[in-house]
Amino acid sequence: MEISDMEQRLIEEGMPTEEIKKLYEVHAAVFRDALSQNEQPEILPGHPLSTLKHENDEARKILNGIADQIQKNCCAQWAKGFN
């Protein structure tokens, strides 16, 4: 991951990288809290975001199914080793 000019200056001034990480965590928490208070906008059917969300939901279902099959197959293979 590339560091920004600001991060580079802070490091050069002697600020430990752990302190920089803490600042980012605080910054992210502020935005996370502010965003969580906003009402989710309605996404109208046919809108590109609606299509994207639907595609992501379907992809998630497929990937979860694949993960379940891998888990079942791995457990079955592992159990066969003890028979």
Side-chain angles (χ1 to χ4, degrees):
M1 184 166 105
E2 246 180 81
I3 60 173
S4 70
D5 291 339
M6 181 185 294
E7 292 168 323
Q8 186 62 44
R9 281 185 297 216
L10 291 172
I11 291 169
E12 289 171 1
E13 292 173 6
M15 180 177 276
T17 55
E18 289 303 315
E19 283 298 313
I20 295 171
K21 288 179 185 178
K22 287 179 187 175
L23 290 173
Y24 275 108
E25 290 170 8
V26 169
H27 191 213
V30 168
F31 279 101
R32 191 178 312 112
D33 291 344
L35 291 172
S36 69
Q37 294 173 8
N38 291 336
E39 186 176 320
Q40 292 290 323
E42 179 184 355
I43 301 175
L44 300 174
H47 188 279
L49 287 178
S50 175
T51 303
L52 180 65
K53 182 180 181 323
H54 176 72
E55 289 172 348
N56 284 340
D57 291 343
E58 292 303 311
R60 187 174 294 109
K61 288 177 192 175
I62 292 167
L63 291 173
N64 286 338
I66 292 169
D68 289 345
Q69 288 300 315
I70 290 170
Q71 181 70 26
K72 288 176 189 174
N73 289 337
C74 286
C75 289
Q77 292 283 336
W78 184 76
K80 281 182 183 179
F82 289 104
N83 291 333

